[in-house]
């Protein structure tokens, strides 16, 4: 595993993975293949050594560029995607193109050159779970979290294209012997996350003097994991995972949105109720929750950044210290949301 391609390596989770590899695996050279969409940012890779990390600006759906790069690689770790549910509800097309055609293009090249492929996916492919208060025993019984046996049931254009991309990978493993693994992770937080997403949107709202915006009643539950723990999990699966297997990645971090928002407000010295309720997301998934037993027991992975309060405080500090990273985009992002009543 000397030469790896990281697609989407200039985005939030991909760039955190590139930092993780550079810091922990000195023998590995990383080629980032990234189209630099609105969500990709060269600055996310600033300061990394040029002899360890190369950025190639290109589209994963461009078969020529993909072929040239994959021919020289030992593995592809595939993060590139259109990743925001709200955008997919406005304009699904780029999601079909990147998440489906892009993934298809990569696995065809990996098949041709027999290159190891790891597909980074989401827990959203499984749809949603009922809120815990609806369940007997408040979440202690079996079947109340997603496992790799949960049937696919995606809700949005985003999650349905991710589900489709997972199924392409599974079919390429079975029909063509592609050496691939899949991971489905829960909601990530940490540095370099685009300010369209929930946690950075609220932090940068407060830093800009704008009241935070909560969709609907805010009871929806997300299972938060620090992006560094996602990186170590992907590395573990890439190096120790069994070909053809799916591993769910999660750190037992369930929180409802109101609780997260109140914690952000508290950590930033604001009154607990200093936010607005805004229009709910159509088809808004109620609850995600991951059972990561397989990854922990079979591959020996465990998360390290499990104190959510400390992780959130560090993330707030990062956005506070790096205003130049997000400030120029803030107005346009908020205008887009405002047009939508959000
Ligand atoms: P992001 O939107 O921050 O970054 C996506 C990156 O992919 C950007 O750098 C963008 O420029 C690049 N990209 C988009 N289309 C491309 C194309 N056609 N060709 C090349 N590059 C392209 O996304 P993220 O939140 O970092 O998510 C990364 C991956 O992790 C995605 O596959 C997503 O489905 C998955 N995931 C995300 C979360 C989460 O909480 N954000 C959770 C689980 C899984
Ligand atoms: O302003 C907001 N107010 C709000 O209440 C925004 C942007 C979101 N929300 C809610 C919607 C969700 O319940 O917060 C929750 C989190 O929203 P997002 O950050 O948009 O994430 P989500 O839709 O849960 O999807 C994320 O996790 C799974 C990533 O964006 C996906 O790429 C990943 O697959």
């Amino acid at each position: 595993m000397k030469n790896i391609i990281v697609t989407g390596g200039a985005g939030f989770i991909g760039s955190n993975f590139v930092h993780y590899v550079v810091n922990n695996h000195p023998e590995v050279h990383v080629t980032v293949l990234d189209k630099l969409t609105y969500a990709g940012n060269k600055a996310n890779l600033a300061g990394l050594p040029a002899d360890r990390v190369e950025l190639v600006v290109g589209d994963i759906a461009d078969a020529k560029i993909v072929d040239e790069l994959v021919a020289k690689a030992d593995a592809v770790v595939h993060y590139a995607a259109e990743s925001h549910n709200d955008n997919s509800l406005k304009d699904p097309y780029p999601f079909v193109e990147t998440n489906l055609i892009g993934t298809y293009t990569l696995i065809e090249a990996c098949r041709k050159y027999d290159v190891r492929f790891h597909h980074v996916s989401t827990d959203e492919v499984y749809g949603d779970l009922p809120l815990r208060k609806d369940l007997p025993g408040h979440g202690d019984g079996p079947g109340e979290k997603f496992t790799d046996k949960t049937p696919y049931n995606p809700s949005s254009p985003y999650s349905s294209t991710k589900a489709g991309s997972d199924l392409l990978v599974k079919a390429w493993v079975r029909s063509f012997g592609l050496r691939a693994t899949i991971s489905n992770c829960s909601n990530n937080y940490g540095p370099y996350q685009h300010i369209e997403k929930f946690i950075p949107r609220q932090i940068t709202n407060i830093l800009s003097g704008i009241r935070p915006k909560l969709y609907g009643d805010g009871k929806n539950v997300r299972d938060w994991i620090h992006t560094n723990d996602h990186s170590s999990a992907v590395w573990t699966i890439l190096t120790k995972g069994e070909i053809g297997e799916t591993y769910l990645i999660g750190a037992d971090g369930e929180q409802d949105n109101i609780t997260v928002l109140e914690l952000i407000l508290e950590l930033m010295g604001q009154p607990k109720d200093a936010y607005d309720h805004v229009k709910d997301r159509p088809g808004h998934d109620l609850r995600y929750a991951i059972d990561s037993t397989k990854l922990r027991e079979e591959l020996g992975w465990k998360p390290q950044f499990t104190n959510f309060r400390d992780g959130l405080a560090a993330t707030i500090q990062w956005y506070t210290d790096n205003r130049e990273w997000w400030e120029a985009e803030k107005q346009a992002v908020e205008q887009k949301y405002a047009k939508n009543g959000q």
Side-chain angles (χ1 to χ4, degrees):
M1 218 61 88
K2 293 265 182 283
N3 288 300
I4 66 171
I5 296 172
V6 176
T7 72
F12 162 47
I13 307 181
S15 66
N16 275 289
F17 180 74
V18 175
H19 283 268
Y20 172 85
V21 171
V22 168
N23 292 334
N24 293 284
H25 301 286
E27 71 289 0
V28 178
H29 180 272
V30 179
T31 303
V32 170
L33 173 59
D34 198 297
K35 191 177 170 184
L36 297 182
T37 67
Y38 78 96
N41 191 341
K42 271 186 198 170
N44 298 0
L45 301 170
L48 293 174
D51 60 335
R52 303 277 315 279
V53 180
E54 181 192 3
L55 170 63
V56 176
V57 179
D59 193 328
I60 55 163
D62 177 341
K64 187 166 174 288
I65 201 166
V66 165
D67 191 275
E68 275 166 25
L69 293 177
V70 171
K72 296 179 290 190
D74 301 316
V76 174
V77 186
H78 175 35
Y79 287 92
E82 286 292 337
S83 70
H84 193 36
N85 276 299
D86 292 323
N87 294 344
S88 80
L89 295 164
K90 288 278 146 213
D91 180 12
Y93 184 69
F95 290 76
V96 172
E97 200 170 49
T98 287
N99 301 357
L100 289 169
I101 310 287
T103 301
Y104 159 80
T105 309
L106 291 166
I107 55 180
E108 274 294 79
C110 288
R111 164 158 91 108
K112 180 173 167 190
Y113 295 106
D114 189 25
V115 165
R116 174 83 170 85
F117 185 77
H118 180 71
H119 182 61
V120 176
S121 192
T122 170
D123 57 0
E124 297 193 20
V125 300
Y126 300 113
D128 61 356
L129 298 159
L131 291 178
R132 292 174 80 120
K133 69 176 163 40
D134 301 329
L135 295 171
H138 281 257
D140 296 326
E144 292 167 348
K145 293 188 172 191
F146 299 134
T147 72
D148 64 333
K149 304 290 178 284
T150 305
Y152 276 37
N153 188 26
S155 310
S156 73
Y158 162 67
S159 52
S160 61
T161 56
K162 289 297 292 188
S165 66
D166 292 13
L167 297 181
L168 290 175
V169 175
K170 286 173 197 267
W172 262 239
V173 170
R174 178 158 173 164
S175 300
F176 302 127
L178 182 74
R179 292 187 294 123
T181 42
I182 298 176
S183 56
N184 297 84
C185 187
S186 59
N187 284 62
N188 284 221
Y189 75 102
Y192 303 114
Q193 186 169 29
H194 195 276
I195 57 168
E196 68 189 353
K197 303 293 191 331
F198 179 57
I199 287 178
R201 183 180 182 207
Q202 314 313 336
I203 295 170
T204 57
N205 275 350
I206 296 169
L207 291 172
S208 307
I210 301 169
R211 281 166 71 84
K213 310 288 184 235
L214 191 66
Y215 292 176
D217 63 9
K219 297 272 171 59
N220 306 61
V221 172
R222 295 295 181 264
D223 189 355
W224 293 100
I225 181 172
H226 194 279
T227 190
N228 288 349
D229 283 329
H230 189 181
S231 294
S232 65
V234 167
W235 183 262
T236 301
I237 297 164
L238 180 69
T239 52
K240 295 198 212 155
E242 201 175 312
I243 298 304
E245 288 298 312
T246 288
Y247 298 90
L248 271 62
I249 306 173
D252 298 324
E254 282 185 72
Q255 303 273 0
D256 67 25
N257 293 339
I258 290 201
T259 306
V260 174
L261 182 52
E262 285 179 354
L263 187 52
I264 293 173
L265 286 160
E266 183 203 319
L267 290 168
M268 296 183 75
Q270 302 289 311
K272 208 174 163 180
D273 59 353
Y275 64 88
D276 297 331
H277 284 276
V278 294
K279 205 175 86 185
D280 207 354
R281 173 184 287 171
H284 196 171
D285 281 343
L286 289 175
R287 171 178 168 240
Y288 306 137
I290 290 273
D291 178 345
S292 60
T293 310
K294 177 173 167 178
L295 174 61
R296 292 173 195 241
E297 290 187 354
E298 290 183 12
L299 304 187
W301 171 84
K302 64 172 198 278
Q304 291 179 346
F305 301 88
T306 48
N307 185 323
F308 186 62
R309 189 188 174 90
D310 288 354
L312 201 53
T315 304
I316 291 168
Q317 195 58 50
W318 190 86
Y319 284 91
T320 308
D321 293 343
N322 291 280
R323 285 188 91 108
E324 74 293 344
W325 186 85
W326 56 267
E327 211 156 27
E329 271 182 289
K330 183 66 184 168
Q331 206 185 354
V333 170
E334 288 309 310
Q335 270 169 359
K336 199 164 142 194
Y337 274 122
K339 263 198 226 154
N340 210 30
Q342 292 179 319

